[in-house]
Amino acid sequence: MVKLIDIAKKLGLSLTTVSRALNDYEEVSSKTKELVRQTAKEMGYVPNKFAQNLALKKSHLISLLYDDYQETISYQSFTFEVIAGVRNYFGRTPYDLIIVPGNLKSETREPLKNICYSRGIEGLFVVGIRTNDPYIEELKKDFIPAVIVDYPLITKKVTYIQSDNLMGCKLAVDYLVSRGHSRIAFINGHDLAAVSPLRLDGYKTALKENGISFDEDIVKVGNYTEKSGYDAVRQLLKEKADFSAVFAASDLMAVGAIKAIKEKGLKVPEDVAVVGFDDVFFAEYSHPSLTTIRQHKFDLGYMGAKELHEIIENPEKPLRSRKIDVELIIRESA
Amino acid sequence: MVKLIDIAKKLGLSLTTVSRALNDYEEVSSKTKELVRQTAKEMGYVPNKFAQNLALKKSHLISLLYDDYQETISYQSFTFEVIAGVRNYFGRTPYDLIIVPGNLKSETREPLKNICYSRGIEGLFVVGIRTNDPYIEELKKDFIPAVIVDYPLITKKVTYIQSDNLMGCKLAVDYLVSRGHSRIAFINGHDLAAVSPLRLDGYKTALKENGISFDEDIVKVGNYTEKSGYDAVRQLLKEKADFSAVFAASDLMAVGAIKAIKEKGLKVPEDVAVVGFDDVFFAEYSHPSLTTIRQHKFDLGYMGAKELHEIIENPEKPLRSRKIDVELIIRESA
DNA sequence: CCTACTTTCCAAAGCGCTTTGAAAAGATGC
DNA sequence: GCATCTTTTCAAAGCGCTTTGGAAAGTAGG
């Protein structure tokens, strides 16, 4: 491995000058700069980041915190695409992405603080972890810049980003209303996902805006899996609840809902219309294909990463949370 | 940030002794060791990995190379779960995972060698990149230990791991034969995926073992998307090809195949049986649910990571590729 | 009590880089 | 030609850790 001193010796220059030449300091004449750069290239010189980090006290390291024990593929895909956005953003900067090590489920995992401090992590990007994850508590201590997807937390160094859930619910409800529905059942997800209360709120608000009164009897709670959506709607049907449409807080639950409806001999969307949330890719492949609210996952990652970058570079900046627009995708199910 | 010298001063010990105590050297009495450990903890000492890396010339860094421009969710999910396995394995070791930076599609990306050398990367885990990715060529130069998923490359430092595709094809064909089929169409994927030729081979071999002759007319090539599976089967039907079963090299193509078959007014599995490959999660949710070959993705990652670890720790070891068993999952479509 | 080991501790060098403070070389004005 | 200023270069210190080679302190044997 060739190092600075090697190219200094070769050129009869001092270490300092070589370092400065490569870092484009003004104190070095352009002739020497060019010479140094050229020979550095020829000799295959690559700077040692550890040494740089040590000297500069700057790691250029962002840590990615996510949970890989995700029961549903839609969650996997969500996380994957968000991370793609993060990666894409930081790929344009000198920052590297390091994955927070270890089994997130393990009880014996290292404190986040230690992980970050020992590696000189400058920022944390958090996506797809549970609201009851102990790391969330650590984040609240505000010891490191962080951006979280879908968990409402704002401190001096930490902020969050999420899809505009309110808007999403409004789009869904408005659309169903525009198709003549006024009895719209809602299948929400459990509270371990921070978006659940938001979506319930959005649903309520949208109803109100359309002059429809909220009816607790046609609201159920699932856990974002297909089966829970299926169970919820079966329950509704069993109770002979009065509804002509179902709005599910996830596509997977929407698929389950459709299954339950079909099983009763009813047709989607003729008898009951169904709208999902997320636009996971298979929404397109279900039968009937799913009308749903699309989340722009890549953008969540990209914009979240950008925000994180800004927090790091400009620590004084007061933080605000950020919302990414969602989109109504009309297919066959409603 | 508290460092070694701080705790040395506090205890009136030398830097050396403190370092040795924490690293459990024999030269330090167990009394001092305990004392040092205790105060280190109290003072919230966390070792600086950069300094360690620099001194030890060991980074404990594994780089993850994958492509996030993956058109299909099954590929995303595949990659996600493989990475989960890798993460889980290395989570039990002192190694950290760093994501190879940047936009893999960009033409201007940095040579892999530079990336690795500048960060002192000790090993590379590669998953989900195209066979024509230029990084593959760099890997062939054998400059760093690496394990690749699904691309057959073995050198002194590089090896690969994959699902047992032959076995998978055999399981699928055998099962179809056992259900009375002898005219089994095959929809393969394009050659940008290294597994395609393997699956074709497996298909041929399995046919031969069952005394069925290979018929080129009922073999089509798709690109792993639903549409390509749909198109391929439509083509077959249009050609009035003689087949009673379809074996697709991916679940997505299998779903497309089913769509085409249904469209013709034929029933699955009564008129045409369909078997897929992968067992992506939605296989369960398609209608009819998909009989398929399950790949153990987590295991691919876990075992691949283990292999990589061994290569790094024991560079002299001659390398062999490794296969992970697959499993026939019987559902409704066949 | 002295020699010969062991055990326990330490000062200093080194990992590869950046940066400070100062010196050498070159350019300018009188 | 000398003093002054600017440009270009350098030696050395420092980032936080590990490790080498040695010294001091403690233990045992005669």
Side-chain angles (χ1 to χ4, degrees):
Chain A
M1 206 93 319
V2 28
K3 38 194 175 167
L4 277 191
I5 189 74
D6 298 327
I7 102 169
K9 275 180 185 161
K10 177 153 187 176
L11 292 178
L13 288 173
S14 85
L15 224 187
T16 317
T17 309
V18 173
S19 169
R20 286 188 163 151
L22 290 176
N23 290 326
D24 207 21
Y25 273 53
E26 288 186 351
E27 297 96 319
V28 180
S29 72
S30 46
K31 268 172 277 168
T32 357
K33 265 186 196 170
E34 197 40 52
L35 180 65
V36 170
R37 278 187 197 136
Q38 190 57 36
T39 34
K41 202 169 192 178
E42 280 167 13
M43 297 176 73
Y45 170 78
V46 179
N48 179 324
K49 292 224 172 193
F50 298 127
Q52 286 184 326
N53 292 344
L54 196 55
L56 292 172
K57 292 182 146 290
K58 182 129 179 69
S59 72
H60 283 302
L61 233 39
I62 302 291
S63 200
L64 213 52
L65 176 57
Y66 73 93
D67 197 337
D68 33 35
Y69 292 90
Q70 304 185 343
E71 316 85 347
T72 69
I73 201 183
S74 30
Y75 226 45
Q76 287 185 355
S77 164
F78 180 85
T79 303
F80 187 91
E81 291 194 26
V82 169
I83 292 177
V86 176
R87 190 181 179 195
N88 190 286
Y89 178 82
F90 280 114
R92 302 156 198 273
T93 74
Y95 285 86
D96 280 334
L97 252 39
I98 191 167
I99 298 180
V100 168
N103 176 331
L104 286 185
K105 244 187 188 163
S106 135
E107 292 307 313
T108 62
R109 58 188 186 173
E110 219 179 332
L112 208 47
K113 209 168 188 171
N114 289 10
I115 295 176
C116 293
Y117 283 177
S118 71
R119 290 166 187 81
I121 307 286
E122 297 187 40
L124 222 46
F125 191 99
V126 186
V127 55
I129 68 176
R130 308 280 174 75
T131 54
N132 63 353
D133 190 303
Y135 277 166
I136 295 265
E137 288 309 310
E138 272 202 83
L139 281 176
K140 289 185 182 162
K141 290 187 191 146
D142 205 32
F143 68 97
I144 193 172
V147 167
I148 317 182
V149 175
D150 273 345
Y151 183 88
L153 175 59
I154 296 202
T155 66
K156 274 196 72 113
K157 295 180 182 168
V158 180
T159 184
Y160 69 103
I161 187 167
Q162 61 184 182
S163 285
D164 193 335
N165 287 287
L166 234 74
M167 179 186 176
C169 295
K170 205 165 138 39
L171 284 173
V173 171
D174 286 358
Y175 177 69
L176 285 170
V177 170
S178 79
R179 305 290 289 186
H181 299 279
S182 62
R183 297 290 300 170
I184 303 171
F186 181 54
I187 323 258
N188 200 8
H190 52 63
D191 281 347
L192 288 183
V195 292
S196 302
L198 292 173
R199 293 187 185 164
L200 179 60
D201 257 21
Y203 165 73
K204 284 185 183 168
T205 311
L207 283 184
K208 189 182 282 176
E209 284 179 15
N210 281 288
I212 300 173
S213 62
F214 174 73
D215 178 1
E216 215 175 340
D217 294 342
I218 53 174
V219 172
K220 296 281 173 195
V221 171
N223 62 1
Y224 289 112
T225 63
E226 194 219 7
K227 180 161 188 319
S228 72
Y230 173 80
D231 290 345
V233 170
R234 255 183 64 153
Q235 184 68 21
L236 281 174
L237 291 168
K238 201 166 153 193
E239 293 167 357
K240 298 199 190 302
D242 170 26
F243 64 100
S244 66
V246 173
F247 174 35
S250 85
D251 284 349
L252 222 42
M253 293 196 295
V255 168
I258 290 177
K259 192 169 167 188
I261 293 164
K262 279 183 173 172
E263 240 179 54
K264 268 284 176 183
L266 298 171
K267 283 193 166 175
V268 179
E270 291 81 356
D271 300 317
V272 182
V274 175
V275 174
F277 206 113
D278 283 350
D279 195 34
V280 299
F281 110 108
F282 66 85
E284 205 173 325
Y285 302 128
S286 76
H287 297 279
S289 62
L290 215 56
T291 292
T292 188
I293 303 299
R294 172 177 297 170
Q295 297 202 59
H296 294 279
K297 305 154 205 163
F298 184 93
D299 293 352
L300 279 169
Y302 190 93
M303 299 306 294
K306 193 171 172 197
E307 184 74 22
L308 181 55
H309 193 189
E310 282 168 15
I311 302 178
I312 294 171
E313 308 260 293
N314 180 4
E316 296 314 317
K317 187 185 149 196
L319 301 185
R320 289 185 314 147
S321 77
R322 174 143 200 172
K323 285 196 176 54
I324 301 292
D325 281 353
V326 294
E327 195 181 343
L328 173 69
I329 303 294
I330 301 177
R331 296 206 187 87
E332 298 163 2
S333 72
Chain B
M1 203 93 320
V2 29
K3 38 194 175 167
L4 277 191
I5 190 74
D6 297 327
I7 100 170
K9 275 180 186 160
K10 177 154 189 175
L11 293 178
L13 288 174
S14 85
L15 224 189
T16 316
T17 308
V18 174
S19 168
R20 287 190 162 147
L22 291 176
N23 290 325
D24 207 21
Y25 273 53
E26 288 187 348
E27 297 96 319
V28 180
S29 72
S30 46
K31 267 173 276 167
T32 357
K33 266 186 195 169
E34 197 40 52
L35 180 66
V36 170
R37 280 188 197 132
Q38 190 57 37
T39 35
K41 202 169 191 174
E42 280 167 13
M43 298 176 74
Y45 170 76
V46 179
N48 179 322
K49 292 227 173 192
F50 298 127
Q52 286 184 325
N53 292 343
L54 197 55
L56 292 173
K57 293 180 143 291
K58 182 129 180 66
S59 72
H60 283 302
L61 233 39
I62 302 291
S63 199
L64 212 52
L65 175 58
Y66 73 93
D67 197 340
D68 31 37
Y69 293 90
Q70 303 184 344
E71 315 86 348
T72 70
I73 200 183
S74 28
Y75 225 45
Q76 287 185 353
S77 164
F78 180 84
T79 303
F80 188 91
E81 291 194 26
V82 169
I83 292 176
V86 176
R87 189 181 180 194
N88 190 286
Y89 178 83
F90 281 114
R92 303 157 196 271
T93 73
Y95 285 86
D96 280 335
L97 252 38
I98 190 167
I99 298 180
V100 168
N103 176 331
L104 286 185
K105 247 189 186 161
S106 136
E107 292 307 313
T108 61
R109 58 187 186 174
E110 219 178 333
L112 207 47
K113 208 169 187 169
N114 289 12
I115 295 177
C116 293
Y117 283 176
S118 70
R119 291 166 185 80
I121 306 286
E122 297 187 41
L124 222 46
F125 191 99
V126 186
V127 56
I129 68 175
R130 308 281 174 75
T131 54
N132 62 353
D133 191 302
Y135 277 166
I136 295 264
E137 288 309 310
E138 272 201 83
L139 281 176
K140 289 185 181 162
K141 290 187 192 148
D142 205 31
F143 68 97
I144 193 173
V147 166
I148 317 182
V149 175
D150 273 345
Y151 183 88
L153 175 59
I154 296 200
T155 66
K156 274 195 74 113
K157 294 180 183 167
V158 180
T159 184
Y160 69 102
I161 188 167
Q162 61 185 180
S163 286
D164 193 335
N165 288 286
L166 234 73
M167 179 185 177
C169 294
K170 206 166 136 41
L171 284 173
V173 171
D174 286 359
Y175 177 67
L176 285 170
V177 169
S178 79
R179 306 290 288 184
H181 299 279
S182 62
R183 297 290 301 171
I184 304 171
F186 181 55
I187 323 260
N188 200 8
H190 53 61
D191 281 347
L192 288 184
V195 292
S196 303
L198 292 172
R199 292 187 186 165
L200 179 60
D201 257 20
Y203 166 72
K204 284 184 183 170
T205 309
L207 284 185
K208 190 183 280 175
E209 285 179 16
N210 281 288
I212 299 173
S213 61
F214 173 72
D215 179 0
E216 216 175 337
D217 294 343
I218 53 174
V219 171
K220 295 280 173 196
V221 172
N223 62 1
Y224 288 111
T225 63
E226 195 220 8
K227 180 158 188 318
S228 72
Y230 173 79
D231 290 345
V233 170
R234 254 183 64 153
Q235 184 67 23
L236 282 173
L237 291 168
K238 200 166 152 194
E239 292 168 357
K240 298 198 187 307
D242 171 26
F243 65 98
S244 67
V246 173
F247 174 34
S250 85
D251 283 350
L252 223 42
M253 293 197 294
V255 168
I258 290 176
K259 192 168 168 192
I261 293 164
K262 279 183 174 170
E263 238 178 56
K264 268 284 175 183
L266 298 171
K267 285 194 163 175
V268 179
E270 292 81 355
D271 299 318
V272 181
V274 176
V275 174
F277 206 114
D278 284 350
D279 195 34
V280 298
F281 110 109
F282 66 86
E284 206 173 325
Y285 302 128
S286 77
H287 299 279
S289 63
L290 215 56
T291 293
T292 188
I293 303 299
R294 172 178 297 171
Q295 295 202 59
H296 295 279
K297 305 155 204 162
F298 184 92
D299 293 351
L300 278 170
Y302 190 93
M303 298 307 293
K306 193 171 173 200
E307 183 74 23
L308 181 54
H309 193 188
E310 281 168 17
I311 302 178
I312 293 171
E313 308 260 294
N314 179 6
E316 296 314 317
K317 187 184 149 197
L319 303 183
R320 290 185 313 146
S321 77
R322 176 146 199 169
K323 285 196 177 54
I324 301 292
D325 281 353
V326 295
E327 197 180 342
L328 173 68
I329 305 294
I330 299 176
R331 297 205 188 86
E332 299 162 1
S333 74

